[in-house]
Amino acid sequence: MPRALIILHASPDTPDCRALTALRLAGAMLAEGKDVRLFLVEHGAQLADPKLGADNPCRALFYELLDVGLNVQVCGGTMKKLGWDQTYTLPGIHRSSMKGLSSFVSESDEIVTF
């Protein structure tokens, strides 16, 4: 099964909709039967914030993709900057690191950044 890695730097609130585009691409890749990993770093980690507004167009799609098995990793350094301590939990989302990202890059057939 092909492995795809999507690295998201962009905030879900950015007017250019890069986060939404990343999620739509992840959904299309999952529909094609690919093993998709989404790595959230810097502003992109805000997508995993449980306080993300219900009116944000990314929120519903993000939770839908989590429900169908999207593998989501968040940079631990970014989580620390955001004040998310070790007790932070959101089902389907895992704390990672640059070492984890490096491993994902090595294992991926396709890599896209937003």
Side-chain angles (χ1 to χ4, degrees):
M1 172 185 307
R3 283 197 172 152
L5 170 62
I6 299 173
I7 303 168
L8 180 61
H9 296 266
S11 166
D13 294 325
T14 303
D16 65 10
C17 300
R18 285 182 290 159
L20 184 58
T21 300
L23 291 173
R24 292 177 60 215
L25 177 60
M29 290 176 155
L30 286 168
E32 289 178 353
K34 294 180 181 177
D35 177 16
V36 182
R37 296 170 173 177
L38 177 63
F39 190 88
L40 305 175
V41 64
E42 298 302 332
H43 296 295
Q46 294 170 357
L47 188 59
D49 189 342
K51 297 174 190 162
L52 183 63
D55 61 335
N56 187 293
C58 295
R59 183 185 168 124
L61 181 54
F62 182 60
Y63 284 99
E64 181 181 326
L65 293 174
L66 282 172
D67 286 344
V68 298
L70 178 63
N71 181 342
V72 179
Q73 306 277 325
V74 182
C75 172
T78 299
M79 291 177 82
K80 186 175 181 178
K81 279 182 17 181
L82 292 171
W84 299 348
D85 64 17
Q86 295 292 335
T87 62
Y88 167 88
T89 58
L90 192 61
I93 299 174
H94 308 281
R95 180 181 299 267
S96 190
S97 63
M98 286 296 118
K99 186 175 179 180
L101 176 58
S102 176
S103 188
F104 280 178
V105 167
S106 296
E107 298 167 359
S108 297
D109 302 304
E110 302 169 335
I111 302 170
V112 183
T113 63
F114 288 91

